[in-house]
Amino acid sequence: MLKSVSLDRWTPVFFLAPAIVLLLVFRYIPIVLGFEEALYTNSLSQAGARKFVGLSNFLAVFEDPVVWGSFKTTLIFSLVVNPLQVGLALLLAELVNVRVPGIAVFRAIYLIPIAISAPVTAIAWGLALDPNYGLVNGIFRTIGLPRQPFLQSPDQALWSIIGIISWIGVPYWSLFFLAGLQGISKDVLESAHVDGASNLRTFLSIKLPLLRRIIAFVLVSDTVVNFTLFAPVYLLTRGGPQLSTHLVMYEAYRRGLVYGDIGIASAIISVLLIVVIVVVVVEFIVLRPRH
Amino acid sequence: MKLDAATRARLRKARRQILLYALLIGLAIAVILPISWIIASSFTTRETVWKNALPFSWRAFFPEEFTLDGYRAIFEKDFGTALLNTFFLGAVTVVLGIAVGAMSGFAFARLNFRWKNFLFALVVFSFMIPGDLTIIPSFVLVRDLGWLNTWHGLIVPGLANGIVIFLFRQFFAEIPQDLIDAPRVDGATWLQVFIRIILPVSKPALISAGVILFLGQWNNFFWPLLVAPVPELRVVQVAVSIIGIEQNVNLWEQMFASSTLAMLVPVLLILPFQRYYVGGILGSGLKG
């Protein structure tokens, strides 16, 4: 009996150790490491150049106009892309939450963009949005719209990137809303219908309030994910034209891995990380199921 | 002519149905159109690749002068190696990632131990912080371990996947207690219970986890771009991006061909397994 008790004590360790060790080493240590690296000046190209510099990398984040500009651009980008994706995803979910013949086929089609990676989506849409040859301008001409510069214009590039990533993001997040809508009890909707509420009315005053936990979850997750947007900027605009798409992750990559200044790159990431951790902890507390 | 109330209601319903289908079809076109254009253009010569895009013609969705030039060119550039590398990475990640995820999911669902809630919070918190956010310090860590340009540098950091652990925990928690109690009373160890009883009844969770892990590895871009720049370890997304960045030399037919292959694999995977994939990612958001 004693033997099996001591055996049972080690059982959880055996089952858990691989996952917990890997999570600690590759997910949690980098968070700490990132804050630590931000306190050093460090050049990848010069060996032995690592030097403790205190908070000066953080000061640089706020003082360097390009770095600080990337935060401002990211803020504007976030304020547009996240509400837009959440709103459209809600509408898409409501649209496909019907029982009509063929709806399964449509749902499967809308799932396709989710499987396609951000780099491939970016390259494909980059080709389609080409100002001189692209398919989109071709269609614009057919329906009588003027030719647009899209990614080559400082006024349109960020919007084009928002559109490109929403092609994946909207169907992805709509899956969560669809599941939420399907979880609403039929009785509630039935009684609203009997009371003569219109579809719009039912959506606004019954469905939306019932979905608020999922909406909050999706809004936070979407925001956090979009903070790390990198591939479309790297592949299509390199932050331009005129820094109009210069988002934080691209700036961190450029500083850290192109110019080899891991210190400032880590400081940039640390600032973003603090924001994300605060948001996620708040979400954790607010959305925690109450027993 | 006066219509009675029932006919009017039926007409209204029909009108709404037509509008609904118009919207559904419009959105389906917005998904399919760009994809079919990419695929059609991948079978076209460089000279005719833009011919039907601007000015636009419906022929843009069918190859003009069918050719395999684009595919031939990318395979001469070792795109085949990138495909094989990524399949290999995906397979290893699926097997090891399932092992790590299912074992810990089992412990969280079925075993009692100290700090259980705290450790599980570590798991949940880990998937709420996107990995790309800590990619630069992760790169520093992997570099200091001497893992740059190695297979394990590409595989090991992604093996413990919070969503996968979560998914297994949810699934294992639903398995009836009797199924576990009987062999335990007969003296089976927890490992035997896990392998002989739990895993065989968990096919849906295993498929969900497998699809999520494979897609994650297939579509991974930023991490392999940083930690494995050598051509021998190149993965699909990086290979596509390298061809894509060479835009200035106008390798359009190659961009279309490589994009086609890079998207075909995950699309063909997600369609038959959509129920499992969707179920897998939803669990993390709805029950957390």
Side-chain angles (χ1 to χ4, degrees):
Chain A
M1 207 57 220
L2 241 178
K3 196 175 157 213
S4 95
V5 166
S6 74
L7 198 75
D8 271 5
R9 251 184 66 190
W10 287 102
T11 306
V13 177
F14 168 77
F15 278 98
L16 278 175
I20 298 297
V21 169
L22 285 168
L23 280 179
L24 286 177
V25 174
F26 293 106
R27 295 306 312 276
Y28 287 98
I29 288 180
I31 294 178
V32 180
L33 211 61
F35 288 120
E36 195 208 329
E37 287 292 325
L39 304 176
Y40 289 84
T41 161
N42 193 341
S43 175
L44 282 177
S45 47
Q46 302 157 258
R50 187 179 153 96
K51 209 171 76 199
F52 184 79
V53 291
L55 293 175
S56 74
N57 283 327
F58 285 97
L59 280 179
V61 167
F62 297 104
E63 278 168 2
D64 185 315
V66 176
V67 180
W68 189 233
S70 75
F71 274 94
K72 281 199 272 188
T73 309
T74 304
L75 180 69
I76 297 166
F77 165 76
S78 298
L79 289 176
V80 175
V81 74
N82 300 308
L84 181 84
Q85 290 192 350
V86 169
L88 291 176
L90 264 168
L91 292 179
L92 179 62
E94 174 71 7
L95 179 73
V96 299
N97 185 30
V98 286
R99 286 211 179 146
V100 295
I103 192 68
V105 176
F106 287 106
R107 285 186 194 160
I109 290 173
Y110 304 152
L111 206 61
I112 292 175
I114 297 169
I116 300 176
S117 69
V120 170
T121 305
I123 287 172
W125 278 103
L127 291 164
L129 291 173
D130 188 288
N132 301 315
Y133 311 101
L135 184 72
V136 176
N137 269 324
I139 293 175
F140 273 22
R141 186 200 269 194
T142 306
I143 57 177
L145 290 172
R147 185 185 288 202
Q148 299 299 324
F150 296 120
L151 291 159
Q152 292 181 11
S153 138
D155 297 326
Q156 294 181 5
L158 192 62
W159 291 96
S160 304
I161 285 187
I162 288 172
I164 291 170
I165 59 165
S166 297
W167 191 72
I168 304 178
V170 170
Y172 180 80
W173 297 115
S174 80
L175 294 176
F176 291 82
F177 294 135
L178 179 60
L181 287 171
Q182 289 174 336
I184 295 175
S185 96
K186 291 276 175 297
D187 298 348
V188 176
L189 298 176
E190 203 68 24
S191 60
H193 194 69
V194 170
D195 291 346
S198 66
N199 282 349
L200 183 67
R201 184 84 230 182
T202 317
F203 182 71
L204 291 179
S205 27
I206 296 178
K207 293 179 181 172
L208 276 190
L210 286 173
L211 290 181
R212 64 179 186 277
R213 273 173 62 98
I214 301 177
I215 295 172
F217 166 81
V218 168
L219 192 59
V220 169
S221 310
D222 197 20
T223 304
V224 168
V225 167
N226 280 327
F227 275 153
T228 67
L229 187 82
F230 173 73
V233 177
Y234 172 81
L235 292 168
L236 296 176
T237 64
R238 300 259 153 177
Q242 294 163 34
L243 298 178
S244 62
T245 59
H246 203 76
L247 299 176
V248 165
M249 254 345 257
Y250 181 70
E251 174 65 1
Y253 163 82
R254 202 175 65 104
R255 294 287 171 141
L257 292 133
V258 180
Y259 297 159
D261 191 343
I262 293 284
I264 184 118
S266 300
I268 294 170
I269 298 293
S270 298
V271 172
L272 203 56
L273 205 55
I274 291 168
V275 175
V276 169
I277 290 175
V278 169
V279 170
V280 169
V281 167
V282 169
E283 183 200 17
F284 225 62
I285 296 164
V286 172
L287 291 187
R288 182 197 226 130
R290 288 168 195 85
H291 295 296
Chain B
M1 193 178 72
K2 262 196 139 173
L3 299 171
D4 61 280
T7 319
R8 245 178 326 186
R10 219 170 326 136
L11 269 177
R12 201 156 1 124
K13 202 178 161 212
R15 210 166 336 148
R16 202 179 292 159
Q17 291 273 40
I18 291 170
L19 191 70
L20 175 70
Y21 277 106
L23 265 170
L24 289 171
I25 291 169
L27 288 172
I29 288 174
V31 170
I32 293 172
L33 210 83
I35 294 173
S36 53
W37 176 64
I38 300 295
I39 296 173
S41 303
S42 76
F43 295 108
T44 302
T45 61
R46 189 176 304 174
E47 289 68 35
T48 53
V49 88
W50 298 107
K51 197 174 158 219
N52 298 312
L54 202 169
F56 171 73
S57 134
W58 288 106
R59 294 219 302 276
F61 304 107
F62 303 95
E64 179 95 12
E65 297 177 38
F66 184 91
T67 167
L68 290 173
D69 283 359
Y71 290 92
R72 212 167 290 135
I74 60 171
F75 278 101
E76 272 163 21
K77 282 186 189 163
D78 285 339
F79 196 76
T81 311
L83 284 176
L84 283 179
N85 284 347
T86 319
F87 272 116
F88 172 71
L89 278 172
V92 175
T93 303
V94 166
V95 172
L96 297 180
I98 283 180
V100 170
M103 281 171 67
S104 58
F106 176 72
F108 283 122
R110 290 299 181 168
L111 302 177
N112 286 314
F113 47 89
R114 259 194 298 177
W115 301 335
K116 187 165 166 175
N117 289 336
F118 169 74
L119 290 175
F120 194 63
L122 276 186
V123 171
V124 175
F125 202 68
S126 81
F127 68 72
M128 295 177 116
I129 310 259
D132 280 357
L133 202 54
T134 51
I135 198 163
I136 288 176
S138 299
F139 164 81
V140 172
L141 176 74
V142 164
R143 183 196 65 194
D144 293 347
L145 289 172
W147 286 11
L148 291 189
N149 291 317
T150 63
W151 286 110
H152 39 283
L154 287 167
I155 295 168
V156 178
L159 285 183
N161 181 315
I163 289 184
V164 168
I165 298 172
F166 192 94
L167 177 156
F168 277 119
R169 191 203 80 137
Q170 299 299 105
F171 192 89
F172 294 155
E174 309 279 314
I175 293 175
Q177 187 64 38
D178 302 350
L179 225 56
I180 296 168
D181 284 344
R184 285 290 290 161
V185 169
D186 291 344
T189 66
W190 280 111
L191 186 63
Q192 285 166 335
V193 171
F194 176 67
I195 292 173
R196 296 202 198 131
I197 310 289
I198 300 286
L199 288 185
V201 298
S202 302
K203 226 197 247 161
L206 293 168
I207 297 174
S208 292
V211 174
I212 289 172
L213 288 164
F214 187 86
L215 276 185
Q217 195 60 277
W218 185 271
N219 286 342
N220 208 353
F221 169 66
F222 206 173
W223 183 247
L225 180 76
L226 299 191
V227 301
V230 293
E232 301 85 71
L233 296 180
R234 187 157 292 152
V235 299
V236 164
Q237 304 299 328
V238 174
V240 171
S241 81
I242 286 172
I243 296 167
I245 288 170
E246 288 169 352
Q247 274 188 69
N248 47 349
V249 284
N250 300 342
L251 305 172
W252 291 308
E253 75 292 0
Q254 298 177 31
M255 291 168 73
F256 285 114
S258 59
S259 298
T260 299
L261 291 176
M263 67 185 172
L264 223 51
V265 170
V267 168
L268 292 180
L269 183 73
I270 206 172
L271 287 180
F273 292 119
Q274 47 177 303
R275 183 186 309 254
Y276 298 99
Y277 173 76
V278 173
I281 57 163
L282 286 185
S284 64
L286 300 180
K287 292 172 194 150

